[in-house]
Amino acid sequence: MQVETNDYVELKSEILDGMRSYMEELKEDGSDAGYTAQDIDDCEGIIDRFLDAVANAAGDNARASGAVKDAVLALNALNARCGYSLIETDQRESLCELIIGVAATAGVGSGQDDITEEWREW
């Protein structure tokens, strides 16, 4: 099963690019976004680990569900470390879309229900 479809790769890029753009805009204005390029890289690593975990779950719903929980909790911790400034509204919606969509391709959730809500703090 190929989980990382072009749509999700593009969505991941949009999320990360939005974080970078916002950080750069604030820097140009002499402000601080509250997070660094390393934090964005860490976010990318969380997303990539999630995508790999779901792809490797190979129809094992419990493992795929665990990957959702692990990713959401890791994003919670990262966002908290950044003073809750890394994941803004646009990123939140896109991250949910990515996680929910990828999980649905693995048979977890309908693709419509927010399966992240139970653990999500962002």
Side-chain angles (χ1 to χ4, degrees):
M1 170 177 68
Q2 179 63 24
V3 171
E4 194 169 344
T5 65
N6 287 337
D7 289 342
Y8 295 116
V9 171
E10 185 175 320
L11 187 55
K12 179 183 92 168
S13 292
E14 288 173 12
I15 293 165
L16 301 171
D17 290 346
M19 291 172 175
R20 285 186 190 96
S21 295
Y22 182 70
M23 183 179 69
E24 291 302 319
E25 286 174 22
L26 288 180
K27 187 185 284 186
E28 288 174 10
D29 291 339
S31 298
D32 180 16
Y35 58 88
T36 66
Q38 181 61 54
D39 295 321
I40 298 169
D41 291 345
D42 291 348
C43 183
E44 182 173 22
I46 292 167
I47 295 168
D48 288 342
R49 284 189 298 280
F50 166 72
L51 294 171
D52 290 344
V54 172
N56 292 327
D60 182 338
N61 285 4
R63 282 181 58 198
S65 292
V68 170
K69 180 179 179 180
D70 291 347
V72 171
L73 294 177
L75 289 167
N76 286 346
L78 175 59
N79 198 41
R81 189 178 83 209
C82 297
Y84 300 96
S85 62
L86 180 66
I87 302 174
E88 297 291 336
T89 302
D90 290 344
Q91 288 83 25
R92 179 179 61 244
E93 291 174 7
S94 296
L95 281 166
C96 285
E97 180 182 343
L98 186 145
I99 292 169
I100 293 165
V102 169
T105 66
V108 176
S110 66
Q112 302 300 313
D113 299 328
D114 186 353
I115 59 173
T116 69
E117 189 173 29
E118 181 177 352
W119 308 287
R120 183 169 40 86
E121 297 173 359
W122 31 273

